[in-house]
Amino acid sequence: MSQYVNEVLENLKKKYPAEPLFIQAATEILNSLAPVVEAEPKYRKHKVLERLVEPERIISFRVCWQDDKGEIQVNNGYRVQFNSAIGPYKGGIRFHPNVNQDTLKFLGFEQILKNSLTSLPMGGGKGGANFDPAGKSDSEIMRFCQAFMSELYRHIGPDTDVPAGDIGVGGREVGFMFGQYKKLANEFTGVLTGKGLNWGGSLVRPEATGFGVVYFCEEMLKTKGDSLKGKRVAVSGFGNVAWGAVQKANHLGAKVVTISGPDGYIYDEAGIDLEKAAYMPEMLRTNPRSVAPFAEKYKSAKFIAGKRPWEVKVDVALPCAIQNELNLDDAKALFANGCQVVTEGSNMSSTLEAVEFFMHNTGKIMFSPGKASNAGGVATSGLEMSQNSMRYNWTREEVDAKLHQIMVNIHKACVDAAAKFGTPGNYVNGANIAGFLKVADAMIDQGLV
Ligand code: 2IT
């Protein structure tokens, strides 16, 4: 408990009653920081928490475009430039119907600490639009991306703010946005990451988030003298993160028995192997709202409509879909079924109640928050930025080795910080504290700006 933390949180709740996701993220993070701000009065003196919870800048703009029928469409675009204490703003762009300022503030806040954990020089930011890519033609996607970038380009730059992909934004969208930025700025620079390999992208970036999740999970199991080999794994989602996680889990000898979509989950007792994983991106392109086609293509797979995969008996759970996809009942079900480790792949996969349940059962079930275990995506974006600056490309092996080492280092940073501040084995506290310290000290070093 910390009076300082409570005051800041109470003020935040009063000020932003319409931002439940941001308040959820802030509650989890600030509560973890209580022992740090109590031990070090300088953070209170410099009002670091009050400053940290306010984005440095939020850009909110209109995006007008024309659909294939010639109808005019109007969407809302945003970029939350949250914190630049340790580097240019960095973070993805999400296109999803439920995107609003609250969503992007929660994601941007998480991103500050995540990027700090990677040990690369990147500040925290996030952007997006309430645009639904489902069912849109390539031309519609292109026109939307161009309209979005026509406004955003004036606020970003390779040393200012470097966006990337997130839900609804992959290689195709990054391509269209990059083309429009280049045309408007008359510059070919590393202003976006997740670019195509022929025009400045990095090897391993597409699969990096999922690979990193599984590398992190393997490190967690290692602390118990165990490994993923032979484990039964439940993955949720079937997008970019889930796709990488399924592959790497297979590489490390695990058996993946589930993936999921907004409409239900796939249970495949034969295992979702590398060949089946290759079908996931195709399914995503065809319809990002349904995982059902997987069961039509593979006879061993069953589609369970309207449910989430956490009811399946597994050793390892990797939530890789979207925020709040794992609630208290799901956490209890996993625990009751003997699940040993939950490694988040999506940002804030678990509700506050589920996180509290996991923290309460530290020692009996291991749990890591997305900001630590999914940091491999943005870390590899950082590696893409380095390659762009050097005008040089590393090989697949070089990038993968760096990604792996970064995940090992993040895991160690979390374990060490958790132990140092009195909650050994608590990855939530460890991640929040380790991420915070670097940013907070940089903010103090740089004065009141
Ligand atoms: O949530 C995330 O870390 C991302 N969407 C990736 C951000 C990035 O800049 O690569």
Side-chain angles (χ1 to χ4, degrees), residues 7 17 32 47 65 80 84 114 116 143 146 155 185 206 267 269 275 337 351 387 396 399 406:
E7 277 170 29
S32 285
K47 297 228 159 95
W65 58 285
V80 178
S84 61
K114 183 197 305 195
S116 168
R143 286 195 297 276
Q146 290 175 340
H155 305 289
Y267 174 68
E269 190 48 48
E275 189 228 307
N337 275 329
T351 63
Q387 294 170 84
R396 168 170 283 273
V399 178
I406 288 170

PDB file of all heavy atoms in Angstrom, residues 7 17 32 47 65 80 84 114 116 143 146 155 185 206 267 269 275 337 351 387 396 399 406:
ATOM      1  N   GLU A   7      -3.467   8.158  -4.024  1.00  0.00           N
ATOM      2  CA  GLU A   7      -3.899   9.511  -4.406  1.00  0.00           C
ATOM      3  C   GLU A   7      -3.915   9.673  -5.926  1.00  0.00           C
ATOM      4  O   GLU A   7      -4.880  10.174  -6.504  1.00  0.00           O
ATOM      5  CB  GLU A   7      -2.930  10.550  -3.827  1.00  0.00           C
ATOM      6  CG  GLU A   7      -3.213  10.915  -2.385  1.00  0.00           C
ATOM      7  CD  GLU A   7      -2.070  11.750  -1.795  1.00  0.00           C
ATOM      8  OE1 GLU A   7      -1.389  12.475  -2.567  1.00  0.00           O
ATOM      9  OE2 GLU A   7      -1.856  11.653  -0.580  1.00  0.00           O
ATOM     10  N   PRO A  17     -13.492   9.007 -15.898  1.00  0.00           N
ATOM     11  CA  PRO A  17     -14.464   7.946 -15.596  1.00  0.00           C
ATOM     12  C   PRO A  17     -14.902   7.180 -16.839  1.00  0.00           C
ATOM     13  O   PRO A  17     -15.377   6.060 -16.739  1.00  0.00           O
ATOM     14  CB  PRO A  17     -15.641   8.720 -14.984  1.00  0.00           C
ATOM     15  CG  PRO A  17     -15.496  10.116 -15.491  1.00  0.00           C
ATOM     16  CD  PRO A  17     -14.024  10.353 -15.653  1.00  0.00           C
ATOM     17  N   SER A  32       1.623  -1.974  -8.575  1.00  0.00           N
ATOM     18  CA  SER A  32       2.922  -2.666  -8.561  1.00  0.00           C
ATOM     19  C   SER A  32       4.047  -1.746  -8.109  1.00  0.00           C
ATOM     20  O   SER A  32       5.054  -2.209  -7.589  1.00  0.00           O
ATOM     21  CB  SER A  32       3.308  -3.120  -9.971  1.00  0.00           C
ATOM     22  OG  SER A  32       2.582  -4.217 -10.374  1.00  0.00           O
ATOM     23  N   LYS A  47       6.994  14.362  -8.794  1.00  0.00           N
ATOM     24  CA  LYS A  47       5.640  14.058  -9.334  1.00  0.00           C
ATOM     25  C   LYS A  47       5.726  13.157 -10.573  1.00  0.00           C
ATOM     26  O   LYS A  47       5.033  13.384 -11.587  1.00  0.00           O
ATOM     27  CB  LYS A  47       4.883  15.353  -9.657  1.00  0.00           C
ATOM     28  CG  LYS A  47       4.612  16.219  -8.430  1.00  0.00           C
ATOM     29  CD  LYS A  47       3.153  16.665  -8.390  1.00  0.00           C
ATOM     30  CE  LYS A  47       2.735  17.063  -7.003  1.00  0.00           C
ATOM     31  NZ  LYS A  47       2.786  18.432  -6.635  1.00  0.00           N
ATOM     32  N   TRP A  65     -12.826   8.842 -46.387  1.00  0.00           N
ATOM     33  CA  TRP A  65     -12.418   8.048 -47.549  1.00  0.00           C
ATOM     34  C   TRP A  65     -13.674   7.560 -48.258  1.00  0.00           C
ATOM     35  O   TRP A  65     -14.778   7.669 -47.736  1.00  0.00           O
ATOM     36  CB  TRP A  65     -11.534   6.868 -47.105  1.00  0.00           C
ATOM     37  CG  TRP A  65     -12.199   5.956 -46.102  1.00  0.00           C
ATOM     38  CD1 TRP A  65     -12.408   6.226 -44.773  1.00  0.00           C
ATOM     39  CD2 TRP A  65     -12.785   4.673 -46.354  1.00  0.00           C
ATOM     40  NE1 TRP A  65     -13.069   5.179 -44.178  1.00  0.00           N
ATOM     41  CE2 TRP A  65     -13.304   4.205 -45.123  1.00  0.00           C
ATOM     42  CE3 TRP A  65     -12.898   3.862 -47.490  1.00  0.00           C
ATOM     43  CZ2 TRP A  65     -13.944   2.970 -44.999  1.00  0.00           C
ATOM     44  CZ3 TRP A  65     -13.528   2.617 -47.372  1.00  0.00           C
ATOM     45  CH2 TRP A  65     -14.036   2.193 -46.129  1.00  0.00           C
ATOM     46  N   VAL A  80      -1.563   8.403 -29.834  1.00  0.00           N
ATOM     47  CA  VAL A  80      -1.263   8.795 -28.458  1.00  0.00           C
ATOM     48  C   VAL A  80       0.249   8.754 -28.291  1.00  0.00           C
ATOM     49  O   VAL A  80       0.853   7.677 -28.310  1.00  0.00           O
ATOM     50  CB  VAL A  80      -1.951   7.851 -27.443  1.00  0.00           C
ATOM     51  CG1 VAL A  80      -1.588   8.251 -26.014  1.00  0.00           C
ATOM     52  CG2 VAL A  80      -3.464   7.876 -27.634  1.00  0.00           C
ATOM     53  N   SER A  84       8.285  10.073 -24.139  1.00  0.00           N
ATOM     54  CA  SER A  84       9.479  10.034 -24.986  1.00  0.00           C
ATOM     55  C   SER A  84      10.757  10.161 -24.153  1.00  0.00           C
ATOM     56  O   SER A  84      11.772  10.628 -24.648  1.00  0.00           O
ATOM     57  CB  SER A  84       9.425  11.149 -26.033  1.00  0.00           C
ATOM     58  OG  SER A  84       9.377  12.410 -25.382  1.00  0.00           O
ATOM     59  N   LYS A 114       6.764  -1.601 -21.605  1.00  0.00           N
ATOM     60  CA  LYS A 114       7.204  -2.697 -22.472  1.00  0.00           C
ATOM     61  C   LYS A 114       8.470  -2.309 -23.228  1.00  0.00           C
ATOM     62  O   LYS A 114       9.455  -3.047 -23.255  1.00  0.00           O
ATOM     63  CB  LYS A 114       6.081  -3.026 -23.468  1.00  0.00           C
ATOM     64  CG  LYS A 114       6.389  -4.203 -24.377  1.00  0.00           C
ATOM     65  CD  LYS A 114       5.476  -4.256 -25.598  1.00  0.00           C
ATOM     66  CE  LYS A 114       4.009  -4.255 -25.230  1.00  0.00           C
ATOM     67  NZ  LYS A 114       3.159  -4.668 -26.381  1.00  0.00           N
ATOM     68  N   SER A 116      10.596  -0.014 -22.561  1.00  0.00           N
ATOM     69  CA  SER A 116      11.696   0.131 -21.609  1.00  0.00           C
ATOM     70  C   SER A 116      12.307  -1.245 -21.308  1.00  0.00           C
ATOM     71  O   SER A 116      13.530  -1.402 -21.273  1.00  0.00           O
ATOM     72  CB  SER A 116      11.162   0.793 -20.338  1.00  0.00           C
ATOM     73  OG  SER A 116      12.099   0.713 -19.308  1.00  0.00           O
ATOM     74  N   ARG A 143      -7.191   2.936 -49.754  1.00  0.00           N
ATOM     75  CA  ARG A 143      -7.706   4.317 -49.639  1.00  0.00           C
ATOM     76  C   ARG A 143      -7.808   4.732 -48.178  1.00  0.00           C
ATOM     77  O   ARG A 143      -7.514   5.871 -47.821  1.00  0.00           O
ATOM     78  CB  ARG A 143      -9.049   4.455 -50.359  1.00  0.00           C
ATOM     79  CG  ARG A 143      -8.910   4.465 -51.874  1.00  0.00           C
ATOM     80  CD  ARG A 143     -10.177   4.967 -52.570  1.00  0.00           C
ATOM     81  NE  ARG A 143     -11.330   4.113 -52.329  1.00  0.00           N
ATOM     82  CZ  ARG A 143     -11.605   3.001 -53.038  1.00  0.00           C
ATOM     83  NH1 ARG A 143     -10.829   2.616 -54.022  1.00  0.00           N
ATOM     84  NH2 ARG A 143     -12.668   2.280 -52.752  1.00  0.00           N
ATOM     85  N   GLN A 146      -4.236   5.439 -46.870  1.00  0.00           N
ATOM     86  CA  GLN A 146      -3.726   6.695 -47.425  1.00  0.00           C
ATOM     87  C   GLN A 146      -4.368   7.897 -46.730  1.00  0.00           C
ATOM     88  O   GLN A 146      -3.684   8.867 -46.369  1.00  0.00           O
ATOM     89  CB  GLN A 146      -3.982   6.744 -48.934  1.00  0.00           C
ATOM     90  CG  GLN A 146      -3.105   5.753 -49.684  1.00  0.00           C
ATOM     91  CD  GLN A 146      -3.410   5.679 -51.170  1.00  0.00           C
ATOM     92  OE1 GLN A 146      -4.496   6.079 -51.620  1.00  0.00           O
ATOM     93  NE2 GLN A 146      -2.469   5.143 -51.947  1.00  0.00           N
ATOM     94  N   HIS A 155       2.927  14.267 -37.987  1.00  0.00           N
ATOM     95  CA  HIS A 155       3.210  14.113 -36.559  1.00  0.00           C
ATOM     96  C   HIS A 155       4.267  13.057 -36.267  1.00  0.00           C
ATOM     97  O   HIS A 155       4.602  12.831 -35.106  1.00  0.00           O
ATOM     98  CB  HIS A 155       1.919  13.724 -35.820  1.00  0.00           C
ATOM     99  CG  HIS A 155       0.800  14.682 -36.055  1.00  0.00           C
ATOM    100  ND1 HIS A 155       0.781  15.955 -35.527  1.00  0.00           N
ATOM    101  CD2 HIS A 155      -0.337  14.561 -36.797  1.00  0.00           C
ATOM    102  CE1 HIS A 155      -0.328  16.578 -35.917  1.00  0.00           C
ATOM    103  NE2 HIS A 155      -1.007  15.754 -36.695  1.00  0.00           N
ATOM    104  N   ALA A 185       6.131  13.188 -47.498  1.00  0.00           N
ATOM    105  CA  ALA A 185       7.328  13.732 -46.839  1.00  0.00           C
ATOM    106  C   ALA A 185       8.497  13.844 -47.815  1.00  0.00           C
ATOM    107  O   ALA A 185       9.478  14.516 -47.521  1.00  0.00           O
ATOM    108  CB  ALA A 185       7.713  12.845 -45.660  1.00  0.00           C
ATOM    109  N   PRO A 206       7.661 -10.441 -38.766  1.00  0.00           N
ATOM    110  CA  PRO A 206       6.271 -10.915 -38.750  1.00  0.00           C
ATOM    111  C   PRO A 206       5.998 -11.928 -37.633  1.00  0.00           C
ATOM    112  O   PRO A 206       4.957 -11.874 -36.985  1.00  0.00           O
ATOM    113  CB  PRO A 206       6.088 -11.564 -40.135  1.00  0.00           C
ATOM    114  CG  PRO A 206       7.116 -10.887 -41.005  1.00  0.00           C
ATOM    115  CD  PRO A 206       8.288 -10.610 -40.101  1.00  0.00           C
ATOM    116  N   TYR A 267     -10.601 -26.842 -31.326  1.00  0.00           N
ATOM    117  CA  TYR A 267      -9.936 -27.843 -30.493  1.00  0.00           C
ATOM    118  C   TYR A 267      -9.454 -28.959 -31.420  1.00  0.00           C
ATOM    119  O   TYR A 267     -10.252 -29.565 -32.130  1.00  0.00           O
ATOM    120  CB  TYR A 267     -10.910 -28.380 -29.439  1.00  0.00           C
ATOM    121  CG  TYR A 267     -10.334 -29.515 -28.637  1.00  0.00           C
ATOM    122  CD1 TYR A 267      -9.276 -29.292 -27.748  1.00  0.00           C
ATOM    123  CD2 TYR A 267     -10.827 -30.813 -28.767  1.00  0.00           C
ATOM    124  CE1 TYR A 267      -8.727 -30.332 -27.028  1.00  0.00           C
ATOM    125  CE2 TYR A 267     -10.282 -31.861 -28.042  1.00  0.00           C
ATOM    126  CZ  TYR A 267      -9.239 -31.608 -27.173  1.00  0.00           C
ATOM    127  OH  TYR A 267      -8.689 -32.639 -26.458  1.00  0.00           O
ATOM    128  N   GLU A 269      -7.149 -32.216 -31.155  1.00  0.00           N
ATOM    129  CA  GLU A 269      -6.373 -33.137 -30.315  1.00  0.00           C
ATOM    130  C   GLU A 269      -5.165 -33.702 -31.075  1.00  0.00           C
ATOM    131  O   GLU A 269      -4.177 -34.099 -30.473  1.00  0.00           O
ATOM    132  CB  GLU A 269      -7.288 -34.261 -29.792  1.00  0.00           C
ATOM    133  CG  GLU A 269      -6.681 -35.155 -28.711  1.00  0.00           C
ATOM    134  CD  GLU A 269      -6.006 -34.406 -27.554  1.00  0.00           C
ATOM    135  OE1 GLU A 269      -6.621 -33.464 -27.005  1.00  0.00           O
ATOM    136  OE2 GLU A 269      -4.858 -34.760 -27.199  1.00  0.00           O
ATOM    137  N   GLU A 275       2.308 -27.185 -40.501  1.00  0.00           N
ATOM    138  CA  GLU A 275       1.553 -27.134 -41.760  1.00  0.00           C
ATOM    139  C   GLU A 275       0.198 -26.466 -41.534  1.00  0.00           C
ATOM    140  O   GLU A 275      -0.231 -25.612 -42.304  1.00  0.00           O
ATOM    141  CB  GLU A 275       1.371 -28.562 -42.293  1.00  0.00           C
ATOM    142  CG  GLU A 275       0.800 -28.615 -43.691  1.00  0.00           C
ATOM    143  CD  GLU A 275      -0.358 -29.582 -43.824  1.00  0.00           C
ATOM    144  OE1 GLU A 275      -0.191 -30.763 -43.448  1.00  0.00           O
ATOM    145  OE2 GLU A 275      -1.440 -29.134 -44.281  1.00  0.00           O
ATOM    146  N   ASN A 337      -7.624 -27.129 -13.740  1.00  0.00           N
ATOM    147  CA  ASN A 337      -7.212 -28.172 -14.688  1.00  0.00           C
ATOM    148  C   ASN A 337      -5.711 -28.437 -14.657  1.00  0.00           C
ATOM    149  O   ASN A 337      -5.194 -29.156 -15.518  1.00  0.00           O
ATOM    150  CB  ASN A 337      -7.631 -27.778 -16.105  1.00  0.00           C
ATOM    151  CG  ASN A 337      -9.069 -28.182 -16.401  1.00  0.00           C
ATOM    152  OD1 ASN A 337      -9.567 -29.167 -15.872  1.00  0.00           O
ATOM    153  ND2 ASN A 337      -9.738 -27.399 -17.232  1.00  0.00           N
ATOM    154  N   THR A 351      -8.261  -9.871 -17.199  1.00  0.00           N
ATOM    155  CA  THR A 351      -8.941  -8.840 -16.420  1.00  0.00           C
ATOM    156  C   THR A 351      -8.189  -8.635 -15.105  1.00  0.00           C
ATOM    157  O   THR A 351      -7.402  -9.493 -14.682  1.00  0.00           O
ATOM    158  CB  THR A 351     -10.391  -9.249 -16.099  1.00  0.00           C
ATOM    159  OG1 THR A 351     -10.344 -10.438 -15.284  1.00  0.00           O
ATOM    160  CG2 THR A 351     -11.193  -9.529 -17.367  1.00  0.00           C
ATOM    161  N   GLN A 387      18.662  -1.520 -38.149  1.00  0.00           N
ATOM    162  CA  GLN A 387      19.099  -1.911 -39.497  1.00  0.00           C
ATOM    163  C   GLN A 387      18.860  -0.782 -40.497  1.00  0.00           C
ATOM    164  O   GLN A 387      19.691  -0.522 -41.366  1.00  0.00           O
ATOM    165  CB  GLN A 387      18.387  -3.199 -39.927  1.00  0.00           C
ATOM    166  CG  GLN A 387      18.790  -4.405 -39.096  1.00  0.00           C
ATOM    167  CD  GLN A 387      17.900  -5.618 -39.376  1.00  0.00           C
ATOM    168  OE1 GLN A 387      18.121  -6.365 -40.322  1.00  0.00           O
ATOM    169  NE2 GLN A 387      16.886  -5.820 -38.561  1.00  0.00           N
ATOM    170  N   ARG A 396      18.500 -13.818 -40.891  1.00  0.00           N
ATOM    171  CA  ARG A 396      17.438 -14.371 -40.041  1.00  0.00           C
ATOM    172  C   ARG A 396      18.011 -14.883 -38.725  1.00  0.00           C
ATOM    173  O   ARG A 396      17.466 -14.618 -37.651  1.00  0.00           O
ATOM    174  CB  ARG A 396      16.741 -15.502 -40.812  1.00  0.00           C
ATOM    175  CG  ARG A 396      15.824 -16.381 -40.003  1.00  0.00           C
ATOM    176  CD  ARG A 396      14.994 -17.296 -40.892  1.00  0.00           C
ATOM    177  NE  ARG A 396      13.908 -16.560 -41.498  1.00  0.00           N
ATOM    178  CZ  ARG A 396      12.716 -16.383 -40.914  1.00  0.00           C
ATOM    179  NH1 ARG A 396      12.457 -16.912 -39.749  1.00  0.00           N
ATOM    180  NH2 ARG A 396      11.771 -15.686 -41.498  1.00  0.00           N
ATOM    181  N   VAL A 399      18.959 -11.930 -36.386  1.00  0.00           N
ATOM    182  CA  VAL A 399      17.813 -11.258 -35.763  1.00  0.00           C
ATOM    183  C   VAL A 399      17.194 -12.175 -34.711  1.00  0.00           C
ATOM    184  O   VAL A 399      16.886 -11.742 -33.590  1.00  0.00           O
ATOM    185  CB  VAL A 399      16.757 -10.846 -36.813  1.00  0.00           C
ATOM    186  CG1 VAL A 399      15.557 -10.192 -36.141  1.00  0.00           C
ATOM    187  CG2 VAL A 399      17.356  -9.900 -37.849  1.00  0.00           C
ATOM    188  N   ILE A 406      17.077 -10.955 -26.054  1.00  0.00           N
ATOM    189  CA  ILE A 406      16.283  -9.876 -25.439  1.00  0.00           C
ATOM    190  C   ILE A 406      15.201 -10.480 -24.534  1.00  0.00           C
ATOM    191  O   ILE A 406      14.977 -10.016 -23.411  1.00  0.00           O
ATOM    192  CB  ILE A 406      15.669  -8.954 -26.525  1.00  0.00           C
ATOM    193  CG1 ILE A 406      16.773  -8.090 -27.162  1.00  0.00           C
ATOM    194  CG2 ILE A 406      14.574  -8.060 -25.940  1.00  0.00           C
ATOM    195  CD1 ILE A 406      16.342  -7.319 -28.412  1.00  0.00           C
TER     196      ILE A 406
END
